[in-house]
Amino acid sequence: MSELVCCPLLLILAGLLRKLEGDGIPRESSPFINNDSMERGNIYEGKNMALFEEEMDSNPMVSSLLNKLANYTNVTQGVVEHEEDEDSKRKEIKAPRMGTFIGVYLPCLQNILGVILFLRLTWIVGTAGVLESFIIVFMCCSGTLLTAISMSAIATNGVVPAGGSYYMISRSLGPEFGGAVGICFYLGTTFAGAMYILGTIEILLKYISPNAAIFEGGEEAMLNNMRVYGTCILALMALVVFVGVKYVNKLALVFLACVILSIFAIYAGVIKTAFEPPVFPVCLLGNRTLVRGTEFPCVKYYEENNMTVTTKLWENFCGSPLLNASCDEYFILNNVTEIQGIPGVASGVLLDNLWSVYGDKFTIVEKQDQPSVPVLEETDAKIKFYVYSDIMTYFTMLVGIYFPSVTGIMAGSNRSGDLRDAQKAIPTGTIMAILTTSFIYLSCIVLFGACIEGVVLRDKFGQAVNGNLVIGTLAWPSPWVIVIGSFFSTCGAGLQSLTGAPRLLQAIARDGIVPFLQVFGHGKANGEPTWALLLTALICEIGILIASLDSVAPILSMFFLMCYLFVNLACAVQTLLRTPNWRPRFKYYHWTLSFLGMSLCLALMFICSWYYALVAMLIAGCIYKYIEYRGAEKEWGDGIRGLSLNAARYALLRVEQGPPHTKNWRPQVLVLLNLDSEQVVKHPRLLSFTSQLKAGKGLTIVGSVLPGIYLDKFTEAQRAEENIRSLMGAERTKGFCQIVVSSTVRDGISHLIQSAGLGGMKHNTVLMAWPQSWKHTDNPFSWKNFVDTVRETTAAQQALLVAKNIDSFPTNQERFSEGNIDVWWIVHDGGMLMLLPFLLRQHKVWRKCKMRIFTVAQMDDNSIQMKKDLQMFLYHLRINAEVEVVEMFENDISAFTYEKTLVMEQRSQMLKQMQLSKNEREREIQSITDESRGSIRKKSRSSPQCIGQDVDNLLPNDIQEEEAQLIHDRNTASRSTGMVKSHTAVATPDKIQMTWTKEKLISEKHKNKEACLSSYKDIFSMKPNQSNVRRMHTAVKLNGVVLNKSQHAQLVLLNMPGPPKNRHGDENYMEFLEVLTEGLNRVLLVRGGGREVITIYS
């Protein structure tokens, strides 16, 4: 017996000495490392990542993923299903080169500064006064600035393809809101085109060529002229857009230059008024402002050659040039005076223009501090000779007219596909453009009030200053600079509206969310939206037929305000929901600002026109409901009492329609807890970690399994649930508790994984603690339960998080003031490794920890390029982290790795032999009669002791101490023996007649012992499996690299390799994981669920 024991030990020691000696047998000659039948390179190809090799098809290496993502600007990254319908339509485009100034700032400047500035701002200042005009401009500019902040947050939350506000809102609030607001924005843009065309006609017929009017007469004739000329210019512009849209884009800078030149002319004129005010006399009759032509002396009569000669003014009010003619009473009682229309910035006229002067329609423009003799009765026949108001004026009406002058803030986001860095350019350019234009508007209000006489300011069409454009009278060097500049700027703005609106409609139609609009998604072969342009022209014609700029402006104000309202709503909702995908690069936003902007937009809608606001909201609501219910039957509730239940049912059914989109994905966690004999949670820190990961958001199910029968374990299950709920309350873990009683723990865990949750509210992630005592437990099946749980989560396409050393994880009251969260990204399995640290850092426990990402480069990888690609990938994920690429070169497998693998396989084979001995013993027991059953049982019980003693003698001391507890428990064997015996007694009665002699029993015992010793000799002469050697090499090598970089990290996240496809290596799999994480304090092993959970898209 001693010889049998000594021989294997001598062989093992000799083998160890050979490997430890440097001058012994060359390593290449070892049969375990080099096989003559195979080339060395083929055997150990990629051995650094051998632990993950079986999953490389579904989970690629990080280096290959980054290589695919290197050209992220032209291809779709991340999740395959994200915009997969658009992949076939997306074409290669030139690399975008437009920066912040050219791509965002100037287009926004051009769209914001426009027709209202040139044609209506002076009239608004004169009517509302400087103070109230300042309030109007400040409210409108504040609304657009708050909207721009919200828009910047949305636009920088990922890559925003060309589509502007429609794309942002529809992707943030869903297709219903997106379609409704998109159509509102389209209608607003279309009516803006009508407003710009009407402004162009007004400049043409009022200030450039008044003689070009077709219809002569009063106000109605002017409206008819606007309709005729507007229709002609609309047709001409539509033809230009249809034939050559590229020329429109090329002329955009020319139109912008006209705007900027005009503004400089205004400021130059203001400066000039301080030294030499321009001569624009205004004629007053009493305190009333008179219409004055080019040759119009401001006197009733004058002396010429000692004769009194009446003027044109006398003839107008008296009906005859004769001195004895019957004249208007007010004309007779009041004197004619002439004042300077532009007294200059130093004249002090600002104090006279501070307050508002509102009036009804046909109210004559009067100078308030001018003496006047009123009359009791007067006719309306002479009103045409005075400057009067053509509409009733009041504060809210002026807000509606002015607001279109601050629209155009979406011009930058609409060009997001052409920008070099949209996430930087859109916020900077848009906000700077708003601040610039706000300064221009606010300064112009003060300067207009300080330079121009109040009656001239209230003269909408410049009738008191020889028919000049009022703002033009202030300009230097000539009023024609403003007239020509404003004419071309309004033409350009109209062309831009007719260019952008059809494309917006085409984008909505191609999304397919509004079925009756799908016909407008088609166009010419080059993609030009022909049918959409036709519809746009028809809607624009409606605005032109209204023929009044003052009437069209409030309409488009409603649609733009509706759009801005939902942009703010989208930002507020995303911020409050705190979805993991909501990571805007623009950080200067808050949900309160978005809510304030939304409230301000809503208030402005009703301030401008409450009935227009209701109509706009009704249109948006109808579109929303149409999109929501198209092709589906309506669901009716059953009264007030069932409202809550119906809403919950409806929400669950909607969620169950399909898996969530990648940007809406968040970990819905099933936490598997272990309980002790008193139904107390063994690892309460697991719930602390859950609350830190979830922060009260999403679904959390805390589950546990009690072995046994439910009828017997009912009270224990209740007590366990109460304990878990109290612990959840203490740890502030918001979720549900589910206790399962099952015949085995293994089956109970399987039931939880399969059936936890309700409908669409099911878990997608399983969180559990690492079985620390898997080597030392009395239950030999604990590690099998763990491995089977890993396999089942993979089969169910659920992510798995395994926390090792969970008791050392922080509580919710602890705070890390410094430290790192290290992510070791070995293979890409959906982005869980990126998402989890971001979620953890939202909690105050981990907030001050820095995130570091390590990835591994092989021999043929370019580590420098990998680092650049990974940094760019993280930039577009909006995740701030340090990046480091660790190089792992191919090298020889160490003796330590070889010996560790050999010991692992010997232990595994020994356990199998023990199991085999147990099976043979049970077969032996089945053939024993009832009379000899007691004695045979005693002898059979001595057999495992013999086996255990033999094995203990064969094993070295250190292995003996570690593996002693894994020998099969005798009590378990006795119970199974009894069951087998009773079964055999019934099933095989013929065997009862057999008898055993003492000699036969002794011979069988020696035969079994010899077979047992022979098998254990084979164990210690075995050669390790080459695949296991490679896997152990990967685990040892990775563990060394991780320890070198992350030994002092607060938390290490690591890809968890999958279990082997061959179930015979399960115990080896546990050993690999143990080696991989050896020496680390807090480890979170992460295994993805087979789908992408993070995306660069908005």
Side-chain angles (χ1 to χ4, degrees):
M1 181 67 187
S2 61
E3 294 176 355
L4 293 174
V5 173
C6 292
C7 289
L9 290 175
L10 290 173
L11 289 173
I12 292 174
L13 290 173
L16 288 173
L17 288 173
R18 282 198 303 268
K19 295 187 180 303
L20 293 174
E21 292 177 5
D23 54 350
I25 299 175
R27 185 172 298 174
E28 286 78 2
S29 64
S30 171
F32 306 115
I33 298 179
N34 186 26
N35 193 341
D36 296 334
S37 62
M38 294 184 181
E39 293 183 6
R40 176 177 177 146
N42 293 335
I43 299 174
Y44 298 107
E45 181 179 358
K47 59 180 177 289
N48 278 342
M49 294 297 111
L51 196 58
F52 303 93
E53 65 182 5
E54 290 186 349
E55 301 175 305
M56 288 297 182
D57 293 337
S58 58
N59 298 339
M61 286 291 298
V62 174
S63 57
S64 61
L65 174 75
L66 293 175
N67 185 42
K68 293 179 182 178
L69 298 180
N71 297 321
Y72 59 89
T73 53
N74 292 331
V75 297
T76 303
Q77 291 96 21
V79 60
V80 176
E81 65 269 25
H82 179 85
E83 312 286 0
E84 65 178 357
D85 294 335
E86 300 176 10
D87 284 347
S88 59
K89 303 175 184 177
R90 189 169 294 138
K91 299 180 180 179
E92 294 288 335
I93 58 173
K94 294 182 180 179
R97 298 179 181 178
M98 298 172 67
T100 303
F101 187 75
I102 298 294
V104 180
Y105 181 76
L106 290 182
C108 287
L109 213 64
Q110 180 187 2
N111 280 267
I112 294 173
L113 299 173
V115 62
I116 301 296
L117 170 65
F118 299 118
L119 297 183
R120 293 292 182 269
L121 189 59
T122 54
W123 173 70
I124 292 174
V125 173
T127 305
V130 173
L131 294 180
E132 290 187 22
S133 298
F134 201 92
I135 293 174
I136 292 173
V137 174
F138 183 78
M139 278 198 311
C140 296
C141 292
S142 298
T144 55
L145 180 62
L146 293 172
T147 303
I149 292 173
S150 300
M151 183 193 71
S152 299
I154 298 173
T156 59
N157 188 48
V159 178
V160 179
S165 59
Y166 164 68
Y167 182 90
M168 290 187 294
I169 295 173
S170 62
R171 271 57 177 179
S172 298
L173 292 179
E176 294 88 358
F177 280 110
V181 179
I183 292 177
C184 287
F185 189 59
Y186 162 75
L187 293 174
T189 307
T190 304
F191 275 101
M195 183 188 72
Y196 291 130
I197 292 174
L198 291 174
T200 303
I201 303 303
E202 183 175 314
I203 295 171
L204 176 66
L205 296 182
K206 288 282 188 181
Y207 309 113
I208 296 179
S209 179
N211 296 326
I214 300 174
F215 302 96
E216 299 291 342
E219 182 181 351
E220 188 62 33
M222 184 60 190
L223 294 179
N224 290 331
N225 286 323
M226 300 282 281
R227 294 183 180 107
V228 173
Y229 275 97
T231 302
C232 295
I233 290 184
L234 172 62
L236 181 62
M237 287 185 174
L239 183 63
V240 170
V241 172
F242 177 76
V243 174
V245 68
K246 57 182 179 180
Y247 301 110
V248 176
N249 295 328
K250 290 181 179 179
L251 289 173
L253 288 178
V254 177
F255 299 140
L256 177 61
C258 293
V259 175
I260 296 176
L261 182 62
S262 301
I263 292 172
F264 278 123
I266 294 170
Y267 283 110
V270 170
I271 296 172
K272 184 176 179 295
T273 60
F275 310 101
E276 185 183 351
V279 179
F280 281 99
V282 177
C283 190
L284 300 178
L285 177 61
N287 64 351
R288 298 178 179 179
T289 308
L290 295 172
V291 175
R292 186 170 188 178
T294 306
E295 300 295 335
F296 193 93
C298 189
V299 291
K300 295 180 180 180
Y301 50 84
Y302 59 91
E303 297 289 335
E304 183 178 352
N305 298 327
N306 295 325
M307 294 181 60
T308 301
V309 180
T310 59
T311 61
K312 182 66 174 176
L313 184 62
W314 182 280
E315 186 177 348
N316 289 340
F317 283 93
C318 299
S320 170
L322 300 177
L323 290 173
N324 58 356
S326 177
C327 298
D328 181 74
E329 184 179 3
Y330 187 84
F331 179 76
I332 296 172
L333 295 176
N334 290 277
N335 296 324
V336 177
T337 56
E338 189 176 68
I339 62 173
Q340 186 60 30
I342 303 179
V345 70
S347 63
V349 73
L350 177 63
L351 296 176
D352 298 331
N353 294 328
L354 283 178
W355 311 108
S356 61
V357 184
Y358 298 118
D360 295 329
K361 188 175 182 180
F362 302 119
T363 299
I364 298 174
V365 176
E366 299 176 344
K367 183 173 174 56
Q368 296 176 342
D369 58 352
Q370 188 74 11
S372 173
V373 179
V375 294
L376 297 177
E377 295 182 4
E378 63 179 319
T379 60
D380 295 334
K382 305 300 181 183
I383 195 173
K384 62 182 179 179
F385 302 118
Y386 297 110
V387 177
Y388 61 91
S389 175
D390 61 334
I391 58 174
M392 187 174 74
T393 55
Y394 44 93
F395 179 82
T396 57
M397 186 270 293
L398 295 181
V399 175
I401 292 176
Y402 172 77
F403 186 80
S405 65
V406 296
T407 60
I409 62 174
M410 300 290 185
S413 62
N414 290 342
R415 297 168 179 241
S416 57
D418 301 324
L419 299 174
R420 185 186 303 116
D421 187 356
Q423 296 190 4
K424 178 182 178 182
I426 290 177
T428 306
T430 304
I431 293 176
M432 287 302 297
I434 291 175
L435 294 177
T436 302
T437 53
S438 299
F439 171 78
I440 292 173
Y441 282 126
L442 294 172
S443 62
C444 282
I445 287 173
V446 177
L447 294 176
F448 291 165
C451 295
I452 306 175
E453 183 63 51
V455 291
V456 179
L457 288 174
R458 292 192 293 277
D459 183 5
K460 184 187 292 186
F461 302 111
Q463 294 172 302
V465 286
N466 302 330
N468 283 300
L469 183 62
V470 174
I471 196 173
T473 61
L474 186 63
W476 181 87
S478 170
W480 286 100
V481 175
I482 298 293
V483 173
I484 300 301
S486 60
F487 178 79
F488 281 110
S489 69
T490 50
C491 282
L495 283 171
Q496 292 286 352
S497 297
L498 289 179
T499 303
R503 280 157 180 75
L504 178 59
L505 179 62
Q506 186 182 47
I508 298 172
R510 285 183 173 176
D511 268 358
I513 59 175
V514 185
F516 67 82
L517 292 180
Q518 289 183 359
V519 66
F520 299 106
H522 306 290
K524 294 193 295 186
N526 59 356
E528 291 297 322
T530 307
W531 293 105
L533 177 61
L534 180 61
L535 179 64
T536 302
L538 292 177
I539 297 175
C540 192
E541 177 65 18
I542 297 174
I544 289 174
L545 292 178
I546 296 175
S548 173
L549 189 148
D550 299 326
S551 300
V552 173
I555 297 176
L556 66 98
S557 295
M558 289 302 108
F559 293 121
F560 278 119
L561 283 167
M562 179 80 71
C563 177
Y564 297 166
L565 184 149
F566 281 103
V567 170
N568 286 291
L569 176 63
C571 181
V573 168
Q574 294 275 33
T575 306
L576 291 174
L577 288 180
R578 296 179 183 177
T579 55
N581 187 65
W582 181 244
R583 301 183 301 277
R585 193 159 294 279
F586 179 79
K587 300 298 182 184
Y588 305 102
Y589 72 95
H590 195 266
W591 69 268
T592 54
L593 294 178
S594 300
F595 186 78
L596 179 61
M598 181 179 67
S599 303
L600 188 56
C601 289
L602 185 63
L604 285 172
M605 287 179 66
F606 284 91
I607 287 173
C608 294
S609 175
W610 64 268
Y611 46 89
Y612 279 168
L614 292 178
V615 171
M617 295 175 70
L618 180 63
I619 293 173
C622 291
I623 297 170
Y624 178 93
K625 286 300 179 183
Y626 173 76
I627 297 173
E628 184 179 11
Y629 292 109
R630 61 184 178 91
E633 296 181 1
K634 293 183 178 180
E635 292 280 354
W636 295 104
D638 39 357
I640 300 294
R641 293 175 296 176
L643 184 60
S644 299
L645 179 62
N646 219 19
R649 172 180 174 273
Y650 179 75
L652 283 173
L653 290 176
R654 287 292 298 270
V655 171
E656 200 174 13
Q657 287 179 359
H661 196 275
T662 302
K663 65 183 181 183
N664 294 327
W665 194 95
R666 66 163 68 243
Q668 317 284 8
V669 181
L670 169 62
V671 186
L672 297 179
L673 295 179
N674 291 328
L675 305 177
D676 58 16
S677 58
E678 300 296 326
Q679 282 74 49
V680 177
V681 177
K682 288 184 179 180
H683 303 293
R685 297 289 178 90
L686 205 58
L687 286 182
S688 303
F689 182 74
T690 303
S691 62
Q692 295 161 20
L693 180 65
K694 300 290 291 179
K697 303 293 181 182
L699 176 69
T700 301
I701 301 174
V702 181
S704 187
V705 178
L706 294 179
I709 300 175
Y710 182 72
L711 294 177
D712 299 333
K713 297 284 187 177
F714 176 72
T715 55
E716 288 88 344
Q718 280 189 327
R719 185 164 64 251
E721 185 172 354
E722 291 174 359
N723 292 339
I724 291 177
R725 288 190 183 279
S726 62
L727 182 61
M728 290 174 65
E731 298 293 341
R732 297 182 180 178
T733 304
K734 299 179 181 179
F736 307 96
C737 180
Q738 190 166 351
I739 302 296
V740 172
V741 179
S742 180
S743 57
T744 63
V745 174
R746 176 73 210 89
D747 291 339
I749 294 176
S750 178
H751 298 334
L752 278 175
I753 292 175
Q754 294 178 60
S755 60
L758 175 62
M761 293 295 290
K762 294 182 68 67
H763 63 278
N764 54 30
T765 305
V766 176
L767 173 62
M768 61 188 303
W770 171 263
Q772 293 285 0
S773 58
W774 68 274
K775 288 183 178 180
H776 311 288
T777 182
D778 294 334
N779 181 11
F781 299 102
S782 64
W783 56 270
K784 288 189 176 182
N785 292 342
F786 176 83
V787 177
D788 287 341
T789 302
V790 176
R791 285 197 175 99
E792 288 198 355
T793 56
T794 304
Q797 295 185 337
Q798 296 172 4
L800 177 63
L801 310 178
V802 179
K804 191 174 181 185
N805 303 325
I806 184 62
D807 294 329
S808 65
F809 275 57
T811 63
N812 290 330
Q813 287 71 37
E814 295 181 41
R815 302 288 183 272
F816 288 131
S817 58
E818 58 182 0
N820 298 313
I821 299 177
D822 287 355
V823 176
W824 284 86
W825 194 22
I826 311 299
V827 295
H828 179 66
D829 58 353
M832 282 285 290
L833 285 170
M834 304 294 179
L835 188 62
L836 292 175
F838 170 78
L839 295 176
L840 283 174
R841 291 181 70 242
Q842 306 303 306
H843 197 274
K844 49 192 174 183
V845 172
W846 306 90
R847 186 166 295 159
K848 294 185 179 180
C849 293
K850 295 180 180 179
M851 180 176 171
R852 299 191 302 181
I853 296 182
F854 298 87
T855 189
V856 177
Q858 297 292 294
M859 280 288 294
D860 53 347
D861 291 331
N862 185 340
S863 58
I864 298 176
Q865 187 61 39
M866 278 182 65
K867 185 173 182 179
K868 291 181 180 179
D869 293 341
L870 182 54
Q871 287 173 338
M872 185 60 67
F873 184 51
L874 292 176
Y875 175 81
H876 284 278
L877 286 175
R878 292 91 62 203
I879 292 178
N880 296 320
E882 297 180 16
V883 174
E884 186 171 344
V885 177
V886 179
E887 297 181 347
M888 286 182 60
F889 299 111
E890 298 282 346
N891 54 6
D892 294 334
I893 297 175
S894 64
F896 171 76
T897 301
Y898 169 74
E899 290 298 332
K900 199 169 186 65
T901 309
L902 181 62
V903 170
M904 176 188 70
E905 293 195 355
Q906 288 173 346
R907 171 181 168 275
S908 176
Q909 190 66 26
M910 179 184 65
L911 293 176
K912 290 179 181 178
Q913 290 293 341
M914 292 170 59
Q915 185 68 23
L916 181 62
S917 299
K918 170 192 169 186
N919 294 337
E920 291 176 354
R921 183 172 69 255
E922 290 174 353
R923 285 196 300 269
E924 174 185 289
I925 292 172
Q926 290 179 6
S927 60
I928 298 176
T929 61
D930 290 335
E931 291 80 1
S932 61
R933 188 175 300 157
S935 61
I936 295 300
R937 186 185 303 117
K938 294 179 183 178
K939 294 177 181 179
S940 65
R941 285 179 179 175
S942 66
S943 179
Q945 294 177 355
C946 167
I947 296 173
Q949 293 171 358
D950 293 339
V951 173
D952 290 344
N953 293 330
L954 287 170
L955 289 173
N957 291 334
D958 56 340
I959 302 176
Q960 178 180 354
E961 292 175 0
E962 180 178 358
E963 308 297 343
Q965 73 278 3
L966 291 177
I967 298 175
H968 189 69
D969 182 76
R970 286 177 297 185
N971 295 331
T972 305
S974 300
R975 287 195 298 270
S976 62
T977 300
M979 293 174 62
V980 172
K981 285 196 305 178
S982 60
H983 173 74
T984 307
V986 177
T988 56
D990 54 328
K991 292 184 179 181
I992 295 177
Q993 304 300 325
M994 297 178 63
T995 59
W996 283 65
T997 63
K998 181 177 180 181
E999 292 78 13
K1000 185 176 180 180
L1001 183 63
I1002 294 173
S1003 64
E1004 285 293 325
K1005 176 179 178 181
H1006 283 287
K1007 184 170 68 174
N1008 290 339
K1009 182 181 293 186
E1010 291 174 359
C1012 177
L1013 293 176
S1014 175
S1015 63
Y1016 283 108
K1017 288 180 182 179
D1018 294 337
I1019 291 176
F1020 291 103
S1021 63
M1022 66 182 294
K1023 300 176 182 179
N1025 182 274
Q1026 294 170 353
S1027 177
N1028 287 339
V1029 172
R1030 290 161 53 214
R1031 285 174 165 80
M1032 183 63 75
H1033 176 73
T1034 299
V1036 172
K1037 194 80 179 292
L1038 272 179
N1039 178 255
V1041 173
V1042 173
L1043 276 178
N1044 184 39
K1045 298 288 184 179
S1046 304
Q1047 188 170 13
H1048 302 293
Q1050 301 292 3
L1051 180 64
V1052 177
L1053 285 85
L1054 191 64
N1055 279 116
M1056 181 179 181
K1061 296 179 180 178
N1062 185 359
R1063 290 178 178 267
H1064 298 296
D1066 286 355
E1067 60 272 23
N1068 298 339
Y1069 172 70
M1070 298 294 292
E1071 193 71 39
F1072 292 144
L1073 295 182
E1074 196 76 58
V1075 172
L1076 183 64
T1077 57
E1078 189 176 7
L1080 296 173
N1081 184 21
R1082 302 183 190 92
V1083 183
L1084 187 66
L1085 293 172
V1086 180
R1087 184 162 174 79
R1091 62 160 295 163
E1092 294 289 339
V1093 301
I1094 197 168
T1095 176
I1096 68 172
Y1097 287 94
S1098 174

